[in-house]
Amino acid sequence: MLVVGLQGSPRKKGNTKYLLSTFMTAAEELGARTHVIDVTQKEIIPCKEYTVCEKKGYCPIEDDVKDEIYPLLREADLVVVATPIFFYNMTAQLKAVVDRCQTFWARKYKLKLKDPGAGMRRGFLLAVGATKGKNLFEGLNLTAQYFFDAIWAKFEGSLAYRGIEGPKDMAAHPTVKEEVAQAAERLLKPFQGRKKVLFACRENACRSQMASAFAQFLAGDKLDVSNGGSQPAEKINSDMLKVMHEKGIDMEFRSPRSIEAAIADNAPELIITMGCKEQCPLVPGAKIIDWDLPDPAGQPIEFMRDVRDEIEKKVVNLIDETK
Ligand SMILES: Cc1cc2nc3c(=O)[nH]c(=O)nc-3n(C[C@H](O)[C@H](O)[C@H](O)COP(=O)(O)O)c2cc1C
């Protein structure tokens, strides 16, 4: 269960930072892994409207959005956007990230690809503003609504505070801690108690990536899925990407990682290996099942397709068995 927070205030120790860190602490107490991206400290180039994303599904701009923010938004179970109101919307730094998520919008609506996390990802908004007007958060709410839609997150509402101006106003608010804790509990409840399954193969470039995407896609609300490799490759396999795209499943923004890193992040109850059981580290209490599938790396694309279909069948059976 990963909670990613986008921190949008440029103030050194201000209200938004307090609000988001209070939320993240509450999330950690509920068992979540958290990652805050302070967008004001990142190298973020605003959208240049090259429109490459709308034709090809990727953004040619090289910066922290590409290297860090896109992958984290794809991995997150819950995305929390936190911002002060600047002229009736989010800050420019945060808006630049939102605009760059046109890439996700294009992959969803132009290329018709579905993110495996679509069925379970949630989005939440934290906001503060100095004035008390009725319309203070209207512009922000609209931007947030369309942002969360583009990143396949169900917009689950907000905690928005009026009359917050001095840097310590939020911390002095009498009910904020309680309200944030309640929101975190409500948002994370659906993710708790899911069975933790790790899919492992050698390079984490084909088989375990496909298995984990199918499992997330078909049963993200029942399974807490991760994946890893005993000898992780540098990048995921391009044929694997193609054959999953044929099924309408978007595998972009993923990178191979080690089994050890996956276990450290999310101690599994069940490990499913793809024919390499002996290379898997022993996790006390975890059951290991081997699916004994051939490695499709370097084989013709038809072979990759067959392995994909075999994996899909096995994942469907696994989901039936865990019901
Ligand atoms: C450039 C700028 C624009 C702002 N625009 C608004 C606004 O439109 N409405 C409002 O109520 N407050 C506005 N504020 C005030 C901030 O929202 C408020 O001080 C907030 O508490 C700052 O949060 P922070 O400490 O997390 O940065 C603005 C502040 C700045 C610096």
Side-chain angles (χ1 to χ4, degrees):
M1 163 162 99
L2 174 65
V3 182
V4 170
L6 296 174
Q7 196 297 115
S9 167
R11 214 181 223 172
K12 274 218 168 84
K13 285 184 183 167
N15 299 305
T16 306
K17 278 187 185 149
Y18 173 83
L19 198 51
L20 183 59
S21 73
T22 306
F23 186 97
M24 291 309 204
T25 304
E28 282 162 16
E29 280 165 10
L30 294 164
R33 220 166 23 104
T34 61
H35 190 117
V36 172
I37 305 166
D38 185 341
V39 302
T40 69
Q41 299 302 308
K42 297 289 169 187
E43 196 210 341
I44 294 166
I45 300 168
C47 174
K48 305 265 189 192
E49 223 176 339
Y50 293 137
T51 67
V52 175
C53 67
E54 297 191 9
K55 294 177 199 108
K56 299 188 175 167
Y58 71 89
C59 179
I61 299 173
E62 300 278 340
D63 64 357
D64 290 336
V65 176
K66 181 175 175 241
D67 295 338
E68 183 184 346
I69 300 180
Y70 287 154
L72 279 166
L73 289 177
R74 271 290 152 101
E75 201 188 329
D77 292 294
L78 170 64
V79 176
V80 182
V81 169
T83 184
I85 292 291
F86 277 14
F87 285 88
Y88 285 83
N89 212 303
M90 57 181 57
T91 59
Q93 292 92 330
L94 199 50
K95 184 63 164 47
V97 174
V98 168
D99 291 351
R100 290 284 302 289
C101 288
Q102 180 73 353
T103 299
F104 289 117
W105 182 91
R107 298 185 74 82
K108 181 174 182 180
Y109 290 110
K110 295 267 180 181
L111 304 189
K112 312 271 185 227
L113 292 171
K114 199 163 180 183
D115 174 354
M120 48 102 201
R121 186 170 307 114
R122 316 181 103 194
F124 193 65
L125 178 63
L126 296 171
V128 296
T131 56
K132 296 193 174 166
K134 184 170 148 278
N135 301 332
L136 182 58
F137 298 109
E138 279 196 3
L140 173 64
N141 265 309
L142 268 179
T143 306
Q145 181 186 326
Y146 287 98
F147 166 66
F148 285 130
D149 179 71
I151 65 162
W152 294 98
K154 186 162 174 270
F155 188 12
E156 292 285 351
S158 62
L159 276 178
Y161 293 89
R162 292 176 169 81
I164 303 293
E165 189 164 16
K168 296 201 170 125
D169 282 1
M170 197 68 261
H173 191 282
T175 54
V176 63
K177 276 199 166 170
E178 196 185 322
E179 285 156 5
V180 166
Q182 278 169 7
E185 200 169 335
R186 171 176 75 80
L187 289 158
L188 295 178
K189 206 165 187 188
F191 302 126
Q192 286 170 325
R194 290 180 301 173
K195 186 165 188 159
K196 293 182 182 183
V197 184
L198 168 73
F199 294 95
C201 65
R202 191 170 57 85
E203 290 193 312
N204 190 220
C206 302
R207 292 166 294 175
S208 55
Q209 289 284 353
M210 291 194 277
S212 132
F214 277 125
Q216 203 185 24
F217 190 65
L218 299 170
D221 55 341
K222 291 188 198 72
L223 301 177
D224 188 350
V225 177
S226 56
N227 55 73
S230 53
Q231 295 164 286
E234 268 187 23
K235 49 185 184 172
I236 55 169
N237 183 293
S238 56
D239 279 350
M240 183 280 287
L241 223 102
K242 274 188 212 141
V243 302
M244 291 299 273
H245 287 183
E246 288 168 8
K247 300 279 284 183
I249 299 179
D250 194 351
M251 301 296 287
E252 201 56 73
F253 315 109
R254 292 169 172 247
S255 307
R257 62 203 306 241
S258 70
I259 294 174
E260 287 77 10
I263 290 172
D265 275 352
N266 199 11
E269 298 156 78
L270 175 62
I271 301 177
I272 299 182
T273 54
M274 309 278 145
C276 50
K277 191 175 178 176
E278 58 290 338
Q279 284 164 45
C280 231
L282 280 176
V283 179
K287 186 175 163 191
I288 301 192
I289 298 175
D290 188 38
W291 280 357
D292 196 16
L293 290 158
D295 188 350
Q299 303 282 345
I301 194 154
E302 294 73 34
F303 195 88
M304 184 73 79
R305 256 181 220 120
D306 290 346
V307 173
R308 173 199 67 192
D309 294 343
E310 192 57 35
I311 288 175
E312 187 179 12
K313 276 188 219 144
K314 285 184 179 297
V315 169
V316 170
N317 287 342
L318 174 77
I319 295 166
D320 279 350
E321 284 158 18
T322 40
K323 261 183 193 160

